Amino acid sequence: MQLVLPKGKVKAINCCLFDPTTGNLYSFSNFLNMEVTINNQNHLLNEACSIEQMLDLVLVSETNGLAIAVNQTIISKSDWDRHVLNPGDQVILIKATQGG
C-alpha cells in the first residue's frame, strides 16, 4: 500500500489487514517488495515504484546530466515521476561527464 504525496513522491507504508471483529492488525511489512536490476546490481524496491522514487532510494548524488534506460528504452526525465518500474526490469543509469 502506498500514500501518494505531491510531485510524485511516494512514502511506502506497511501493508496491514484489519480484523473489525477483534480489532487486531496483521502487518505484512515485506509484502510489497520487488526486485529490479540497476546497473547490473539487484535491488529490492517497493512495488509500484516510479523511476523518481527509485532514484531517491538508490542515488545519493545530483540527477543533472543523468540518462535512464529501462529495458533498453530511454525514459525522458519529464516522465520519471510517472514511469512505474515492474519486477525484473533492467535499469541503466548513465551519467554524462566532461572531458577532452
Side-chain angles (χ1 to χ4, degrees):
M1 186 179 280
Q2 295 184 15
L3 172 64
V4 179
L5 303 173
K7 298 194 181 214
K9 302 288 183 186
V10 171
K11 179 179 180 185
I13 58 175
N14 289 345
C15 179
C16 297
L17 295 177
F18 179 74
D19 182 352
T21 58
T22 64
N24 293 331
L25 286 176
Y26 302 96
S27 178
F28 300 95
S29 59
N30 294 326
F31 182 72
L32 295 175
N33 286 333
M34 67 174 180
E35 189 171 345
V36 298
T37 303
I38 304 170
N39 288 359
N40 296 320
Q41 292 186 336
N42 293 336
H43 290 271
L44 281 178
L45 302 174
N46 290 320
E47 194 171 6
C49 181
S50 73
I51 290 174
E52 189 173 83
Q53 296 157 351
M54 176 270 301
L55 289 172
D56 288 342
L57 295 172
V58 301
L59 194 66
V60 294
S61 62
E62 189 69 32
T63 61
N64 290 334
L66 187 67
I68 296 180
V70 177
N71 300 325
Q72 300 181 345
T73 301
I74 298 291
I75 307 299
S76 172
K77 189 170 188 173
S78 62
D79 293 331
W80 289 359
D81 63 337
R82 292 183 300 277
H83 187 94
V84 177
L85 297 172
N86 294 304
D89 276 351
Q90 301 285 320
V91 180
I92 303 293
L93 307 178
I94 304 164
K95 182 74 171 165
T97 59
Q98 293 180 337

